Structure formats: C-alpha cells, structure tokens
C-alpha cells in the first residue's frame, strides 16, 4: 500500500501538451473509471485543471504500477510514449504525499497561494468518492491534504499573494489610466490566475470586455460570464488597436505578440497607452515590447516583485507554509507506518499486556491472603491465556503477504488499536 | 509699503515651497492645507503688491527685470490655482512652488527702482503684449512641472519599481492630458503675444520684426510648441516624448527670458 502520483504541470509541459493530457468534461469520469481498472491500481483520483493533470493512486508495486499507468495514459489520450515520458513526473510513497499536500496548499501553483486549486482538488475527490474509486489510503490522504491546505491558508498569509497580484495589477492600471470605466479590456486565453485578475479588474469597472481563446467555445463561455464579447483568436491583434488593457495567459509555447506587431498596433491607436499583463508560462508576449513608448508590459514575476516590495514577504510566508506541510507530513507518515504489520503486532501485544496487568491488579486488590505461589500461578494462567489468544492474529499478521493492508486494518479495527494512539507513544 | 508687501509675499511663498517639499516625503492633509494657505495668502499679497506698484508707477509694472520676474511668478501661481480647481493634481505644488519661490527670490535681488517709462514703451500694447506673453509662458511652466511629474511616474511604471511617489502621483494618462491641455492654452497665448509684439514694434519702431534675440528665441519656442501639438495630432506623439518636448520648450523660454537678458543686447533691453 503506497501513495503514488503521476502527472504534469505548467513547469514540465506546455499548454498544448497539457491539453492533450487533460481530462475534460465527460472524459474525466470515463478516465477515472478506466484508471481504476488499471491492474496494480487499487484506488484512483484524477485532478485535471488548466495548469496540471495529475493522477493519484494507491499501488503495491511502484515499478509495475508506474509502467501500467503510463500505458493507460498513452492509450487513453493516444499520445506517444516519448512525449509522455518527457513531460511527466512521478512521486511515490512519502514524496507523493508531500506533493499532494503542496498542490492542495497552492505551493506548487504557478502563482503561489492561488485559491482555486483547493476547490478543484475537492471536486476531484468528491467525484472519486461518488464513483467509489477511492478507499482507505486515498480517503485519509485527501482529507488530510484538504485540512493541511486549510491550515496553510489560516496560519500563513500565502493566500493574500494571489489576491495581491490581482490587486497590484488593478492599482497599476489606475496609475496608467485616469478612468478605467472608459477602457476596453481583453482577456487572452484562460487560466486560474488570469481569470482571477480579470475578475478583479472587471470588478473595478471597465467599459468593455473582450475575450479571446484558441478554443473559441471557451472564449464564448467566458465572455458570457464576464458580460463581454468573444473575439476569434486570429483577430485578437486586430482588436488590440482599441484595447487598453490586456491580460494574457494562453499557454502557447511561443510569443503570440511580437515587437513589430505591437508597433503597428500602437501606430493604429495613435500611441495611446496600453497596459499588458502577461501571466503565461512560458511568456506569450515578447518582453522587448516593454521598451516601446506608451506600452507597459508586466509579467507575473514583475507583479510578484511589486507585491513583494510593497506588502509582505512572500518567501517568508511560503517557508512557513512549507514547514506546515512538513509537520503534517510527519504525522501522516506515522499513521502510514502504523499500518505496517510489525508496529501493529507490537501494539496488539501491548494492548493485551495492558489489559492483563489491569485485570490482575484489580484481582489482587480484591482477594487477600494468597501466598506468592498462588499469585504466580494466577499470573501464569493470565499470561498463557493472553498468549494463546494473541497467537493466531499475530501469526496471521506475520506471514500474510497478500491483503496485508486489509488484514492490518481489520485487526486494528477489531482490537480497537488506532494510529493516533500509537503516535503519541 | 510696496517693499513690505513684496517681502511678505516672498515669505509666504517661501513657507509654501518648504511645506510643499516636505509633502514629497510625508503625506498628510494638514501639510497640504498649510501649503494651500501659504500659497493662497502669498498670492493675495502678491496681487496687492502688483496693484500697488501699478498705481504708484502709473503704468503696468512689467517694465524691468524685477517686475517681469515677479509678474511671471504671479502668472504661474495664478495658473497653478486655476489648474488645481479643475484637476486637483496631487503633488503638483511640490514641483511648482519651489520654482515660484526662487523666481521671487531672484526678483527681490534685482533693482526695484521705478524709472520713468521711455516714450517708445508708452503704449496700450505694453499691457496686452506682456500679459499675454507671461500668461502663455506660465502655462508652459506648468506644463514643464507636469512633464517632470510624468517622467518620474513613467520611470516608476516602466522600471517596475513602484516605490516613492508612485502611489501619490496622478496617473500617466491624466498627467499627459493635462500637459497637452496646458500647451493648448499656452500656445495661442504665445502666438497672440508674438503678433501683438509685432504690431507694437511696427507702431513704435516702424518694423514688424527685427530679429533681435528675444524675438528669435520666441519664434524658436513657438516652433517647438507647434511641433508638439502637430506631432500629437498627426502622429500621436504623447507620453514620454510629449513630456520631454514640453520640458525642452520651457527651457528655451528660460533661455529667452534670462539668458538673453544677460547678454543685454537687442531691442528688448528694458526687460
């Protein structure tokens, strides 16, 4: 029984690769059921967002399982193995647990502290629960991950970071333009952070909202949500001439706006100021555009720099959050260890011993006038009784190789031994 | 009496300049109120002192360097207040009041003697020409101050280090627009000043234009501001370039005003 993570994120794969791996809409449920059917996989969860696709499992043999899951992934999405191997990361056991804790706490996000990931994680877990693809380990693990995330959220100011970045973007817009309510805003692409910033900006009141996306449907959906107008992705440069503020996060692996194009746009709009926020990783807007007059180009790191210099130490908060993750990891690890048979045997025997001693003390305090010999005989009998009773469960725990986890769980339940008690000792 | 009024105005402007400089370092409502009070009182006393001198001299008091510099400062404060009524540009005083104070200080050091007006200056053109010229130049002075503010703010935004005055300076767009606005006010005034100057020259000396250094520099200035307006309307030159050009324009005005005076040549020697 081991936790296992396989996945890819904004750091390891470009958007078009991530899109190929994505489990969108009905594919999520199908994928989840199929994933659960993979031999070696005992429990299964799939998390699929704009920035990451991750599969969580409970497996026995790491080697076999990772091979089986890779085959499943490449078959399910019809992706060749080479491109799969290039983009994915794998974590097992305690590292898998750490990774899941970090993802839930938004420490692994493109913008640290970005709030949406927690909800997305909850949704994936709930789907898995309703489809009954999880069990003992992942249930505990996911619940713990969500509680770790909550702890990070309440005990550190990491969540302020993402909000601060949106806030900084709006503040900057206000220092570039006199009146935002006369300005046209365009959201290029999507992604958690971009949408968060867009929402913040629109909340401050802009004249018009344009939405463009490589997937035009998505643009239409978002446009509806923002009360805006969808723009065909091929036309976005054309619309730039009347756009004052752009938030860009298309995830394209190359620049979608070059310096020369921007110069033309500026000419067309008679050099009126433009504020561009490029949230994409890798960058989508040629950074040299910032050298042009009347264009102010900020990327996430720039905004982060603004936030860091102004508000609070993000690194300090992130370090605090990492510490919380490590603390929680330790308790989880203890729990995991407790599931092993040896500590269970020890715990079982300790418990029996404890009961035996308690009962003997009670007995000896009630009856008086027995000599040492009689006393020894009674003690001997109690020990023998205990040993006989303990023999078969101990033996079963010792030589069970199959279904060991289940057995451990059952015995713990039957004898009322739980992990938390063990930890305290 | 005239001296007392002038010194009093100077003192209030000094206070306004000091307070407006402290405003750069500390944001507080009280200091900005003290600034407005000092500048306002200074301006009121300054106005009275000019009227007093007008009455005493019997002609408009813009006939020697002391008077001209003082009147220039008065025009700048006037336009500063008009601008604040309309736009409320925060921190503008920090960029303007020290300049006003130094102009007044320079004025105080120049000869205040009232000399009888030479016959060729005795004309109604004197008032019209000089007031137009100084109001125009004052608008350009304000454009210069706003241009400075633009460059400071633009530097913060471009370099992505948003410290210092970033929070308190107005937005780039509004600074740019006010700069443009001031030039559109200053330019027609300057044009009219040049035209009335030419007409006056014709009536006094029989020639419209005689290429004396003051005239030449005024023409240079006129061309610079014409270029700013033209480039903005046609090629959309705005922002940093417009701010820089408006600053260059005002520097040429300063050369015309002070530099040529030092040469003491040409027909405008009386100023």
């Amino acid at each position: 029984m081991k936790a296992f993570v396989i996945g890819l994120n904004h750091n390891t794969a470009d958007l078009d690769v991530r899109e190929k791996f994505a489990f969108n809409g009905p594919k999520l449920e199908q994928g989840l059921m199929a994933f659960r059917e993979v031999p070696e996989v005992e429990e299964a969860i799939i998390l699929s967002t704009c920035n990451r696709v991750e599969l969580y499992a409970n497996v026995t043999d790491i080697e076999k399982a990772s091979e089986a899951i890779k085959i499943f992934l490449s078959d399910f999405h019809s992706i060749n193995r080479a491109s799969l191997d290039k983009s994915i990361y794998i974590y097992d056991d305690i590292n898998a647990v750490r990774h899941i804790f970090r993802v839930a706490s938004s420490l692994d996000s493109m913008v640290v502290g970005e709030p949406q990931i927690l909800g997305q994680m909850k949704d994936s877990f709930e789907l898995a629960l309703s489809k009954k693809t999880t069990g003992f380990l992942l249930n505990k693990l996911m619940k713990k991950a969500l509680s770790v995330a909550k702890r990070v959220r309440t005990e550190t100011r990491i969540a302020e970071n993402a909000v601060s970045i949106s806030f900084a973007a709006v503040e900057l817009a206000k220092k570039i333009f006199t009146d935002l309510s006369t300005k046209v805003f365009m959201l290029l692409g999507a992604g958690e952070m971009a949408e968060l910033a867009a929402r913040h900006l629109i909340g401050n009141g802009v004249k018009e909202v344009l939405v463009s996306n490589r997937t035009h449907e998505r643009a239409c959906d978002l446009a509806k949500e923002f009360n805006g107008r969808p723009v065909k992705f091929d036309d976005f440069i054309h619309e730039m001439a009347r756009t004052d503020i752009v938030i860009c996060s298309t995830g394209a692996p190359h620049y979608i706006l070059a310096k020369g194009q921007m110069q033309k746009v500026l000419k067309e709009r008679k050099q009126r100021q433009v504020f561009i926020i490029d949230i994409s990783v890798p960058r989508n807007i040629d950074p040299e555009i910032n050298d042009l007059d009347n264009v102010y180009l900020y990327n996430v790191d720039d905004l982060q720099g603004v936030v860091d210099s102004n508000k609070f130490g993000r690194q300090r908060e992130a370090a605090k959050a990492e510490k919380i993750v490590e603390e929680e990891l330790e308790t989880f690890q203890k729990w995991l260890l407790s599931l092993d048979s040896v500590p269970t045997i020890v715990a079982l025997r300790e418990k029996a011993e404890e009961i035996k001693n308690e009962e003997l003390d009670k007995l000896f305090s009630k009856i008086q006038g027995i000599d040492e010999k009689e006393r020894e005989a009674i003690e001997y009998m109690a020990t023998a009784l205990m040993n006989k009773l303990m023999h078969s469960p101990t033996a079963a725990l010792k030589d069970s190789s199959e279904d060991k986890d289940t057995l451990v769980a059952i015995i713990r339940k039957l004898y009322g031994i739980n992990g938390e008690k063990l930890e305290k000792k | 009496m005239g001296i007392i009024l002038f010194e009093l105005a100077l003192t209030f402007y000094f206070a306004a300049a000091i307070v407006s400089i402290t405003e750069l370092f500390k944001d507080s409502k009280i200091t900005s109120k003290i600034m407005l009070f000092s500048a306002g009182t200074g301006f009121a006393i300054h106005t009275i002192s000019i009227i007093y001198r007008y009455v005493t001299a019997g002609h408009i008091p813009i006939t020697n360097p002391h008077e001209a510099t003082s009147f220039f400062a008065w025009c700048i404060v006037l336009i500063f207040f008009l601008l604040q009524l309309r736009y409320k540009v925060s921190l503008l005083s920090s960029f303007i009041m020290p300049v006003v104070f130094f102009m007044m200080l320079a004025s105080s050091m120049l000869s205040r003697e009232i000399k009888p007006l030479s016959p060729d200056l005795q004309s109604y053109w004197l008032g019209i020409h000089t007031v137009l010229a100084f109001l125009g130049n004052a608008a350009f002075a304000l454009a210069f101050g706003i241009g400075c503010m633009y460059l400071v703010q633009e530097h913060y935004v471009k370099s992505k280090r948003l410290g210092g005055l970033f929070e308190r300076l107005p937005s780039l767009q509004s600074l740019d627009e006010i700069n443009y606005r001031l030039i559109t006010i200053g330019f027609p005034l300057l044009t009219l000043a040049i035209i009335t100057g030419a007409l006056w020259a014709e009536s006094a000396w029989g020639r419209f234009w005689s290429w004396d250094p003051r005239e030449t520099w005024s023409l240079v200035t006129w061309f610079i501001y014409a270029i700013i307006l033209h480039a903005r309307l046609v090629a959309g030159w705005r922002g940093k370039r417009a701010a820089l050009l408006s600053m260059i324009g005002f520097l040429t005005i300063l050369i015309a005003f002070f530099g040529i005076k030092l040469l003491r040549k040409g027909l405008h020697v009386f100023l």
Side-chain angles (χ1 to χ4, degrees):
Chain A
M1 184 173 78
K2 281 197 169 103
F4 183 85
V5 171
I6 186 166
L8 66 168
N9 66 16
H10 52 93
N11 288 324
T12 64
D14 292 336
L15 182 79
D16 42 353
V17 179
R18 298 204 299 273
E19 272 175 355
K20 278 188 207 148
F21 280 92
F23 292 87
N24 293 329
K27 260 175 127 184
L28 180 60
E29 210 178 300
Q30 289 165 24
L32 183 63
M33 300 315 282
F35 178 36
R36 177 67 186 85
E37 293 306 311
V38 174
E40 304 294 328
V41 171
E42 283 167 37
E43 301 176 46
I45 289 176
I46 294 178
L47 172 71
S48 180
T49 76
C50 301
N51 287 334
R52 69 178 68 242
V53 178
E54 293 191 340
L55 280 69
Y56 304 152
N58 171 5
V59 304
T60 319
D61 186 316
I62 304 279
E63 292 293 311
K64 278 191 204 160
S66 66
E67 190 52 36
I69 296 171
K70 279 185 197 169
I71 290 168
F72 156 71
L73 270 176
S74 64
D75 287 352
F76 190 86
H77 291 300
S78 334
I79 297 161
N80 67 43
R81 267 303 287 275
S83 93
L84 183 138
D85 285 328
K86 213 169 59 189
S87 328
I88 55 160
Y89 45 80
I90 288 175
Y91 296 104
D92 61 51
D93 213 13
I94 201 71
N95 291 325
V97 177
R98 178 186 287 114
H99 179 76
I100 294 173
F101 284 3
R102 293 188 75 246
V103 170
S105 310
S106 192
L107 284 167
D108 197 49
S109 299
M110 196 157 81
V111 173
V112 170
E114 162 272 302
Q116 267 134 321
I117 186 67
L118 186 59
Q120 289 159 337
M121 208 138 178
K122 250 183 219 160
D123 292 345
S124 320
F125 181 38
E126 265 157 30
L127 180 74
L129 280 177
S130 73
K131 297 288 156 200
K132 298 191 168 60
T133 62
T134 55
F136 189 61
L137 176 67
L138 287 192
N139 284 347
K140 176 92 178 177
L141 174 54
M142 290 304 279
K143 274 181 201 153
K144 190 76 182 172
L146 299 180
S147 80
V148 171
K150 267 185 206 129
R151 220 192 121 188
V152 166
R153 209 142 274 264
T154 49
E155 290 180 26
T156 74
R157 294 169 69 197
I158 201 106
E160 279 177 30
N161 189 47
V163 178
S164 307
I165 283 182
S166 308
F167 187 74
V170 174
E171 285 306 293
L172 267 164
K174 284 183 182 166
K175 285 297 179 188
I176 292 169
F177 304 109
T178 313
D179 183 5
L180 291 188
S181 67
T182 61
K183 300 300 162 201
V184 178
F185 162 65
M186 176 151 61
L187 175 63
L188 253 179
E192 288 103 32
M193 192 57 221
E195 280 173 41
L196 184 71
R199 222 161 252 143
H200 223 78
L201 191 67
I202 294 166
N204 271 269
V206 291
K207 187 174 127 209
E208 194 184 340
V209 179
L210 307 176
V211 182
S212 190
N213 198 299
R214 272 203 300 187
T215 325
H216 193 62
E217 260 172 52
R218 179 100 176 99
C220 294
D221 289 349
L222 277 173
K224 206 180 270 173
E225 202 185 323
F226 291 143
N227 255 331
R229 182 164 66 78
V231 170
K232 287 247 165 62
F233 195 69
D234 297 330
D235 291 342
F236 91 83
I237 291 187
H238 180 70
E239 295 284 347
M240 287 277 292
R242 47 186 295 271
T243 305
D244 305 291
I245 306 168
V246 181
I247 292 180
C248 172
S249 173
T250 73
H254 50 78
Y255 297 150
I256 58 166
L257 187 65
K259 199 175 176 183
Q261 290 170 306
M262 192 64 213
Q263 273 166 328
K264 265 186 218 155
V265 168
L266 279 170
K267 210 168 181 185
E268 211 175 317
R269 55 184 283 117
K270 290 217 161 172
Q271 307 288 329
R272 276 180 298 128
Q273 291 94 338
V274 194
F275 180 31
I276 306 177
I277 302 157
D278 184 5
I279 295 183
S280 340
V281 176
R283 307 275 167 254
N284 281 172
I285 314 280
D286 187 349
E288 283 191 8
I289 281 179
N290 194 47
D291 299 340
L292 297 171
D293 270 352
N294 299 318
V295 183
Y296 304 96
L297 171 64
Y298 275 67
N299 61 40
V300 174
D301 292 339
D302 298 332
L303 289 173
Q304 189 73 68
V306 170
V307 171
D308 284 354
S309 64
N310 280 1
K311 307 276 175 188
F312 68 104
R314 168 184 53 125
Q315 270 157 6
R316 197 185 62 226
E317 298 302 316
K320 243 194 238 172
E322 298 281 5
K323 215 179 126 207
I324 293 174
V325 166
E326 290 305 318
E327 272 172 36
E328 297 287 343
L329 195 61
E330 208 173 302
T331 61
F332 194 80
Q333 197 168 18
K334 274 182 190 154
W335 178 79
L336 269 180
L337 275 178
S338 76
L339 298 179
D340 210 12
S341 54
V342 177
T344 306
I345 293 168
V346 173
L348 190 60
R349 297 204 67 90
E350 272 175 1
K351 176 134 189 177
E353 196 84 23
E354 202 179 295
I355 294 170
K356 183 195 84 179
N357 289 337
E358 257 171 42
E359 293 305 317
L360 282 174
D361 286 350
K362 248 190 247 170
L363 183 74
F364 292 144
S365 66
K366 270 184 204 154
I367 50 169
Q368 266 124 29
I370 50 167
D371 60 24
E372 199 60 26
K373 250 190 181 170
E374 285 164 324
R375 196 185 165 102
E376 269 173 22
I378 293 170
E379 273 180 13
Y380 178 79
M381 192 272 292
T383 309
L385 196 62
M386 181 196 85
N387 282 342
K388 284 251 162 71
L389 274 172
M390 286 297 108
H391 177 73
S392 39
T394 310
L397 276 172
K398 268 182 185 159
D399 64 21
S400 69
S401 48
E402 285 168 41
D403 289 336
K404 194 183 75 185
D405 301 331
T406 339
L407 193 64
V408 166
I410 289 168
I411 286 179
R412 286 181 161 268
K413 200 162 190 183
L414 284 179
Y415 288 93
I417 314 163
N418 58 45
E420 274 74 24
K421 257 190 189 164
L422 246 162
E423 282 163 23
K424 275 172 200 155
K425 284 180 184 173
Chain B
M1 174 70 178
I3 293 172
I4 296 170
L5 285 172
F6 185 88
E7 298 296 334
L8 215 54
L10 180 66
T11 312
F12 275 105
Y13 285 145
F14 176 67
I18 295 294
V19 175
S20 68
I21 287 170
T22 66
E23 275 192 290
L24 287 175
F25 303 99
K26 208 173 154 238
D27 186 18
S28 120
K29 276 198 177 132
I30 298 166
T31 48
S32 65
K33 270 187 187 150
I34 296 174
M35 201 307 289
L36 276 179
F37 173 77
S38 322
T41 315
F43 182 65
I45 297 170
H46 194 182
T47 312
I48 297 169
S49 95
I50 289 171
I51 294 171
Y52 182 83
R53 199 173 170 94
Y54 187 20
V55 173
T56 319
H59 56 81
I60 193 149
I62 320 177
T63 53
N64 66 21
H66 161 72
E67 290 171 347
T69 316
S70 156
F71 187 69
F72 195 0
W74 185 84
C75 289
I76 292 175
V77 182
L78 174 72
I79 294 192
F80 167 78
F81 276 116
L82 292 177
L83 199 67
Q84 289 302 60
L85 280 178
R86 173 82 175 76
Y87 293 102
K88 289 199 174 58
V89 188
S90 57
L91 290 182
L92 178 60
S93 57
S94 312
F95 287 77
I96 292 300
M97 290 321 293
V99 178
V100 168
F101 168 69
F102 279 110
M103 290 180 89
M104 288 296 280
L105 193 65
S107 167
S108 75
M109 287 188 263
L110 295 161
S111 162
R112 303 184 194 183
E113 198 188 339
I114 299 177
K115 284 182 187 163
L117 211 54
S118 67
D120 58 346
L121 291 183
Q122 285 172 4
S123 157
Y124 57 92
W125 287 118
L126 170 67
I128 298 172
H129 169 69
T130 47
V131 169
L132 283 172
F134 281 113
L135 281 176
N137 287 351
F140 293 139
L142 265 300
F144 174 86
I146 297 278
C148 286
M149 291 166 79
Y150 184 94
L151 292 184
V152 172
Q153 184 70 308
E154 141 105 2
H155 176 76
Y156 285 127
V157 179
K158 248 324 184 211
S159 70
K160 296 164 183 178
R161 281 195 302 269
L162 309 183
L165 303 175
F166 168 77
E167 298 255 349
R168 288 159 61 212
L169 282 170
S171 73
L172 290 172
Q173 193 194 356
S174 56
L175 288 172
D176 183 48
E177 279 167 7
I178 295 168
N179 181 283
Y180 174 63
R181 199 67 224 278
L182 284 165
I183 292 171
T184 59
I185 292 168
F187 187 71
L189 290 171
L190 178 66
T191 313
L192 286 174
I194 291 174
I195 292 170
T196 52
L199 293 174
W200 185 15
E202 207 274 335
S203 73
W205 305 310
R207 272 188 305 181
F208 284 108
W209 199 265
S210 34
W211 295 107
D212 91 317
R214 175 69 45 81
E215 284 172 358
T216 313
W217 270 107
S218 299
L219 203 61
V220 170
T221 314
W222 188 87
F223 270 111
I224 290 174
Y225 286 105
I227 287 167
I228 295 176
L229 292 177
H230 179 79
R232 187 178 187 106
L233 292 174
V234 175
W237 275 32
R238 66 181 74 223
K240 198 173 169 183
R241 285 183 205 181
L244 276 173
L245 278 177
S246 71
M247 290 172 76
I248 292 171
F250 186 64
L251 288 178
T252 60
I253 289 174
L254 288 183
I255 293 171
F257 191 72
F258 292 107
I260 291 163
K261 190 176 301 167
L262 293 176
L263 294 173
R264 296 225 165 249
K265 278 180 190 163
L267 295 166
H268 277 80
V269 279
F270 41 84
L271 271 193

